[in-house]
Amino acid sequence: MAKTLKKKARAKAIPPPPERAAKPQAVAPRRGKLERVRMPAGNTKAARSGASAASRAAIDSKDTHEGKYVYCIIKSERPLRFGPLGIGVEPANVHTVHFSDIAAVVSNTPMVVQDPTRENVLAHQRVNETVMQQHTVIPMSFGTVFKTDDDIMELLRSAYDAFTDVLNKMQDKFEFGLKVLWDRDQIIREIEEEDEDIRRLKSEISSQKGSTYFARMQYGRLIDAALQARSERYVSEVFRALRDVSVASRSNKPIGDRMIMNAAFLIERDREAEFDQKVKEIASKYEGKLSFKYTGPWPPYNFVHIRLKLERGEGATEAVAS
């Protein structure tokens, strides 16, 4: 689900490439109104019945036999079926492959490299988002394919301790995204009004009295420093305001000139409403200055990193979680 505020930045997870994976886009609400872009409901009836560099199992590019596409890892001792949600022209039926009390959520797929088209990425997300409504998930990277159920069971066996540890840490937790943007020109105008030195230099440049080269250079340096300081202050205030209602947070690189914050927050399931309310309060506080884009809940892409080390020589498969 995603929230957008207009007037308002993966133990570890790997995304569909969150910025790394296309998330459903939300229509920005009117200025000053905060709405979370919500995740599609998915197949909830099926749900009830029912990695930093996760790699594909070694796949012969000429082999087009049927394989197994892996979406995520969950805790479950009994077989589950989630219905026709998976990747494919006709959505593939999604089910589980087990070892002990953990399972991989999979669907059948041709043994070819899956193109990260919009349809495929959204199908990958759709499965994870449906499963997470009833289960804690470790999301796998887009394009994780194995040849057989036995290969998947070997992965689960060899990485059992690592997967179990991560599942315990992520139990009943979601990820929410928060991006904060501003109008750079408007902020510059505010800075010019508030800073006497900057205001004097701008006046000197505008009057064109004598050489303005050094005045322009100094003006540019002062503006850049003021923008940096103000951006850091805003971001620090937002993180501080959300600290008490989140388990953890991650700061990702902002995208474009307008974004000053691109963050992910790990939230306990039973504190979602509290987190929602706090985000709305922050949006209200900065109305007219900042714009917020709020999304979630998602699987903990930014808080779980699964590194798979796959060896085909003796049929052994090793996985390391970090």
Side-chain angles (χ1 to χ4, degrees), residues 10-55:
R10 256 163 158 291
K12 295 177 184 176
I14 289 182
E19 269 113 5
R20 307 180 220 191
K23 294 184 179 178
Q25 296 181 348
V27 177
R30 291 187 306 166
R31 194 172 189 76
K33 182 179 180 180
L34 164 62
E35 293 181 2
R36 183 168 77 206
V37 178
R38 294 195 171 271
M39 179 192 73
N43 190 336
T44 54
K45 179 178 179 181
R48 286 193 296 269
S49 67
S52 152
S55 307

Side-chain angles (χ1 to χ4, degrees), residues 7 31 33 87 134 146 154 172 214 221 226 248 263 296 300 322:
K7 265 238 171 198
R31 194 172 189 76
K33 182 179 180 180
I87 287 178
Q134 300 294 326
F146 290 81
E154 176 60 23
D172 291 326
F214 291 106
R221 285 196 296 269
S322 63

Side-chain angles (χ1 to χ4, degrees), residues 68-88:
K68 304 291 181 179
Y69 187 101
V70 182
Y71 300 91
C72 59
I73 308 298
I74 64 174
K75 277 188 176 182
S76 178
E77 296 182 1
R78 62 187 182 87
L80 299 172
R81 294 187 177 277
F82 297 93
L85 301 171
I87 287 178

